[in-house]
Amino acid sequence: MSAIFSLVFVFFVAMSAVTTSQGSVGVCNGRFGNNLPSEQETVDLYKANGIKRMRLYAPSQTTLEALKGSDIELILDVPNGDLESLQSDATSWVQTNVQPYFPATRIRYIAVGNEVDPDKETSSHYVKLVHPAMESIYRALTVFNLQDQIKVSTATYSALLTADSFPPSMSAFKDTSFMGPIIGFLARTRAPLLVNIYPYFAYKGDTTNIPLSYALFTASEIVVQDDPYGYQNLFTAMVDGMYYAVEKAGGADVEIVVSESGWPSAGGVAATEENGNTYYTNLISEVKKGTPKKPGKEVETYLFAMFDENTKEGDASEQHFGVFFPDKRKKYQLIF
């Protein structure tokens, strides 16, 4: 009887693991467009295509309500412009944007600020606000005993690394006075660092030295040797570079979640639907394998973005990162 019980127990544990696994890939829900589907239609499109993770760049009651019971895990952003109001007490923010929806809406991370950069004129004034706002939201979550179920982080990007962050093992943060306390917070609360990783922009900025095949995961051999690791694609090199930087800042056990990664289909150098299809297809496959530094450990990754966004500012390519067209047609045949 005990042997039969053990087999039954193992079976149910295995089935539980299968049914609760979310996979490693989600999609960012950007809303900079005047021709996008409604928020309810967007959530329905996630469901219909088996997309089990979403990033939402600002709290929206409509989307948070639509996600209830969907089993879609969520990164919920605190926009940069809201950081100042959350310096000392974020209880009201959590009461408004988290408590009414969780756990029916599966909020997994709160991203406090996006790509705040000491060297960027448009965001440098937010630098001093990020870490205090993270602490404030964490304290507010403890009021509702949610601090272990919802992790607080921030979304950063590769521009915060030093200019000589090559090969990956040489990577380090430019401004440790900014990132040091953030990494310390993440280590203390066992939360990951969210990082936007874009081989496209790295390639666009240096087409002379970066082969297109290295950026698109199609190189036939190792391109960068960084003993003891070899890199055949730029994405895993960039992820491991961030791991090295985080370790040097005191976060040896802090994990990396790729909160954005994508390739445009128009509007820039090598921006074609063919390249976009190649990038997204290979990315979805590659993140399941881990990286040379973290082999076998899936890289939780969010594709950018769900739709082309026709009112997004910046270079023309910024409006063409969607994996769907605004009319809900698939741009690429991806399996999430």
Side-chain angles (χ1 to χ4, degrees):
M1 288 297 292
S2 61
I4 293 174
F5 174 81
S6 297
L7 286 171
V8 171
F9 177 78
V10 169
F11 172 79
F12 278 108
V13 168
M15 286 304 294
S16 175
V18 170
T19 56
T20 57
S21 175
Q22 291 293 86
S24 53
V25 175
V27 183
C28 299
N29 183 9
R31 304 295 299 176
F32 285 106
N34 59 21
N35 59 351
L36 301 181
S38 72
E39 294 180 60
Q40 180 64 61
E41 287 178 297
T42 298
V43 172
D44 290 342
L45 195 60
Y46 273 74
K47 294 177 185 177
N49 287 275
I51 304 170
K52 289 293 189 178
R53 287 181 169 148
M54 176 190 291
R55 181 178 177 188
L56 185 63
Y57 289 91
S60 162
Q61 181 178 354
T62 303
T63 296
L64 290 168
E65 193 69 37
L67 286 169
K68 281 185 175 180
S70 67
D71 202 35
I72 296 172
E73 293 183 344
L74 182 67
I75 298 177
L76 179 60
D77 276 38
V78 177
N80 293 347
D82 293 349
L83 297 178
E84 190 166 6
S85 66
L86 301 174
Q87 293 299 288
S88 59
D89 186 4
T91 306
S92 178
W93 191 93
V94 170
Q95 280 180 317
T96 301
N97 301 307
V98 176
Q99 194 202 14
Y101 308 103
F102 186 86
T105 295
R106 299 187 63 186
I107 301 169
R108 181 175 171 88
Y109 309 118
I110 296 175
V112 184
N114 182 56
E115 295 188 352
V116 173
D117 186 343
D119 295 332
K120 197 173 178 181
E121 186 177 348
T122 55
S123 70
S124 60
H125 52 291
Y126 297 122
V127 166
K128 65 181 180 181
L129 305 177
V130 176
H131 177 231
M134 292 171 69
E135 295 278 7
S136 181
I137 288 178
Y138 181 81
R139 287 194 302 270
L141 289 173
T142 64
V143 172
F144 304 99
N145 199 30
L146 296 176
Q147 72 278 9
D148 294 325
Q149 299 173 71
I150 301 173
K151 294 299 183 179
V152 179
S153 187
T154 187
T156 188
Y157 67 143
S158 302
L160 266 63
L161 301 180
T162 58
D164 58 352
S165 290
F166 178 84
S169 61
M170 295 298 292
S171 298
F173 289 115
K174 289 186 288 187
D175 190 342
T176 54
S177 66
F178 172 43
M179 289 302 298
I182 290 173
I183 300 303
F185 169 88
L186 299 176
R188 188 181 85 241
T189 61
R190 299 183 180 181
L193 179 64
L194 309 181
V195 185
N196 301 338
I197 298 284
Y198 281 97
Y200 173 74
F201 290 117
Y203 169 74
K204 179 183 175 183
D206 191 3
T207 57
T208 300
N209 294 306
I210 299 177
L212 181 60
S213 60
Y214 185 52
L216 290 174
F217 303 92
T218 57
S220 59
E221 58 188 9
I222 289 172
V223 176
V224 172
Q225 186 66 42
D226 187 13
D227 291 336
Y229 308 121
Y231 293 90
Q232 205 165 330
N233 67 79
L234 183 53
F235 176 85
T236 53
M238 293 175 76
V239 173
D240 277 354
M242 191 60 68
Y243 266 119
Y244 279 111
V246 168
E247 288 176 1
K248 291 170 187 175
D253 296 323
V254 173
E255 295 186 7
I256 301 296
V257 168
V258 177
S259 44
E260 289 182 13
S261 191
W263 195 282
S265 58
V269 176
T272 66
E273 285 191 27
E274 180 181 2
N275 286 342
N277 182 65
T278 299
Y279 182 80
Y280 287 116
T281 301
N282 290 336
L283 176 64
I284 290 170
S285 175
E286 189 69 27
V287 297
K288 298 174 183 176
K289 306 173 188 175
T291 69
K293 185 171 170 58
K294 304 278 185 177
K297 180 177 177 54
E298 289 193 12
V299 184
E300 184 178 338
T301 299
Y302 293 76
L303 310 186
F304 185 87
M306 192 66 171
F307 303 111
D308 287 346
E309 299 175 84
N310 69 352
T311 63
K312 192 164 186 188
E313 298 179 350
D315 292 344
S317 64
E318 293 283 355
Q319 299 187 3
H320 299 282
F321 275 86
V323 297
F324 288 84
F325 295 105
D327 62 6
K328 301 191 287 188
R329 287 181 298 121
K330 292 180 178 180
K331 188 185 294 184
Y332 313 112
Q333 298 302 312
L334 305 177
I335 300 174
F336 298 97

